Every structure is written in structure tokens, then in C-alpha cells.
Amino acid sequence: MDESSGNLIIVSGMSGAGRSSVADVLEDLGWFVVDNLPPMFLTTIVEQVVGTGASPRLAIVVDVRTGSFFDELGSALEDLRTKGYRPLTLFLEASDDVIVRRQESVRRPHPLQGDGRLLTGIERERELLGDIRAGADLVIDTSNLNIHQLAARIVNAFGDEEKIELRATVVSFGFKYGIPVDADVVADMRFVPNPFWQPDLRPMTGQDKAVSDFVLGHPLAQQFLQNYVDVLDTLRTGYLNEGKRFVTVAIGCTGGKHRSVAMAEEIAKRLREKGSPTLVVHRDLGRE
């Protein structure tokens, strides 16, 4: 892995998905942050800041606010790679309805809206950002995250570390609310008996010991845990060999309250025991 990996981040993503909030968190973590940089200056700023040792860690926010200059991002990133720099790319995503709500709350037009509708600007932006999203090292869907939860994701991914290690986020979710769009791997817990049908367990969640014991105590759950954590350990080795430092593991059940929550907590515990810094997010808990 190139020595610049992990010390250089390109932050991009949808307008209204939280780029400014992420920039603030990175600054608090000690990163030197450059916002709204035209891609034509990307190599120059990296060479001056990282190449000369002026700052050990540099984050650059690049997005469609630069207008026609944004078209040069692909060639600028390729120029960086030819000069030996290996930036990590963070892409911030959000659903159309959430972006609309956020844009309207700040009373600012979308940068690509022009004289058209807000949704037209969002559609254009998704098209322009398609390639960078597809090649991103880490995609975070902020649709259901508040500012504190987003900050926790950034701290988990880009906080201080003593060695390179795969950083995991384990997300519990309910299938009836949709699969998380930023998931790298997805597992379905609906093969385990549902605590919902136990009157004494129904009001509880997978964070309660009684529910956790009920879910994890099932023989199939035990077998799944053993096999699945072994699979994730294999992925960990392969991802690190390929330079991928982040993985989002989505664990689902029907409503995201019992089985997926208990299993996500246990999987996160076992990943931490194997040395992977791991954050747990219960996306749909309390939504029923």
C-alpha cells in the first residue's frame, strides 16, 4: 500500500448529504481540510501539503459546486495516481426525498437546478457523480443519520490509528424499510425464530438481554455466527490486501427491532475481538 494511503482523502457526494458536516468533523480530528477545490488544482495542493510534509493528513472536498471544472476530476485523480499518491475516496449519499427536505430547510437552490425543478438538479448530480461513487472506498448513506451519528461514522473511519486495519460498520435494519444502500455485504436473520411472537419479548429490543439470549441461543444462530464471522475474517484479509479499509455489514430482519439488532451487536463484538475497529448502527430501531 502506498505511504500516502490513509493520509489523503477525497470527499465528494450529493449536495445535502453532509459534506460540510464531515469537513468539520475531519478538522476536529486534526485533518487539514480544503473545501470546494476545483479539480485542476488537486495535484498542486496535494504536492504542497502532503508532499512537503506541511500536514500529515489532508482532506479535499470536491463536488459539483465547481461547475464545469468538475469534469476534470477524473483526469486529476489519474494524475495523482501516476505521481504515486493513493487517495481514499469518501462518498456521501442520501435519498432524493431527504435531499429535497434538507435543501428546502436551508432555503438554498441546488447547484445544478438552474431554472428547473430541484429534483432535476438532483438527477443531474447523480449522473455526474456516478463514476466517483462507483469507485469510492467508502460510501455513507446519511439519509437516516443525525449529525452525531454521522460524526461517529467519520471518527470510526478516519480517527487516529496505530496500524492499518479494516474498519467495520455493522448496521441492523428491517427489510420492510429497505436494504441500506451503502451496504457491502448483507445477511438475513429471518431464519431465526422471531421474538415478536413471544408476548413477554415483543416490547423489548435486541439490545435487551432476554431478547439477545433468545436469538443468539438458537442453534442455527450459533452456527451462523461461527460461519459468518469466519467469512468476514476472510473478507478482512482480502480487503486489506486490495487496499480497501472500510466495510459496511448490514444485518436484517423483518422490522429491525429484535433479531437483526441482537445479531449485529454480537457480530460487532466478535469483529472487535479480531482487531477491527467496529461501529454499530441500529438504523430502524424505534421506527415501528
Side-chain angles (χ1 to χ4, degrees):
M1 184 180 292
D2 186 275
E3 63 180 1
S4 66
S5 295
N7 295 325
L8 174 60
I9 309 171
I10 304 299
V11 180
S12 192
M14 297 295 295
S15 300
R19 293 186 311 250
S20 296
S21 297
V22 167
D24 290 342
V25 174
L26 288 172
E27 283 190 341
D28 291 342
L29 291 173
W31 288 74
F32 184 81
V33 179
V34 179
D35 191 13
N36 198 20
L37 181 76
M40 66 179 70
F41 301 121
L42 191 58
T43 299
T44 301
I45 194 72
V46 169
E47 288 180 332
Q48 291 182 348
V49 176
V50 176
T52 62
S55 176
R57 299 188 297 177
L58 171 66
I60 302 174
V61 182
V62 182
D63 53 70
V64 297
R65 288 174 296 168
T66 56
S68 59
F69 295 131
F70 184 78
D71 295 337
E72 301 177 29
L73 179 58
S75 59
L77 289 173
E78 183 60 30
D79 185 49
L80 274 181
R81 295 186 185 100
T82 60
K83 294 185 176 181
Y85 295 99
R86 297 293 180 265
L88 295 171
T89 305
L90 167 64
F91 189 93
L92 300 170
E93 175 68 274
S95 61
D96 286 0
D97 60 318
V98 169
I99 292 175
V100 168
R101 187 168 65 249
R102 290 173 180 172
Q103 290 290 123
E104 290 179 344
S105 69
V106 296
R107 301 182 181 277
R108 296 183 62 187
H110 189 281
L112 298 181
Q113 182 176 348
D115 295 328
R117 300 172 61 226
L118 175 55
L119 284 173
T120 302
I122 295 172
E123 182 179 353
R124 290 174 180 168
E125 186 174 33
R126 289 199 188 281
E127 292 176 359
L128 283 174
L129 296 176
D131 288 342
I132 190 169
R133 187 194 190 285
D137 296 284
L138 175 61
V139 177
I140 298 179
D141 180 9
T142 69
S143 301
N144 297 300
L145 300 179
N146 60 38
I147 184 62
H148 305 294
Q149 293 167 330
L150 176 58
R153 293 286 299 269
I154 299 304
V155 170
N156 181 64
F158 301 109
D160 289 330
E161 57 184 306
E162 295 181 358
K163 64 175 183 176
I164 300 298
E165 184 52 85
L166 185 70
R167 292 177 175 266
T169 300
V170 182
V171 182
S172 71
F173 72 96
F175 277 97
K176 69 180 182 180
Y177 302 116
I179 297 174
V181 299
D182 52 350
D184 294 299
V185 289
V186 179
D188 184 354
M189 295 300 103
R190 290 175 294 184
F191 67 89
V192 179
N194 193 348
F196 178 86
W197 301 114
Q198 303 294 319
D200 57 328
L201 299 180
R202 182 177 301 177
M204 302 181 187
T205 76
Q207 291 179 311
D208 292 305
K209 187 176 185 304
V211 174
S212 180
D213 289 347
F214 179 88
V215 173
L216 301 180
H218 194 277
L220 286 177
Q222 287 295 315
Q223 182 180 348
F224 169 83
L225 270 170
Q226 179 178 340
N227 294 338
Y228 196 63
V229 172
D230 285 344
V231 168
L232 293 177
D233 200 37
T234 301
L235 288 178
R236 169 178 168 271
T237 301
Y239 279 167
L240 289 174
N241 288 341
E242 293 298 316
K244 181 176 174 63
R245 298 177 58 230
F246 313 100
V247 63
T248 299
V249 180
I251 308 296
C253 63
T254 303
K257 178 179 180 180
H258 296 113
R259 293 168 290 183
S260 63
V261 172
M263 193 66 74
E265 291 283 355
E266 183 62 23
I267 289 172
K269 174 175 173 280
R270 298 193 183 196
L271 289 177
R272 293 187 192 109
E273 290 171 351
K274 289 181 174 290
S276 293
T278 304
L279 177 71
V280 182
V281 176
H282 299 303
R283 191 192 73 176
D284 298 325
L285 196 59
R287 195 168 175 178
E288 72 284 344

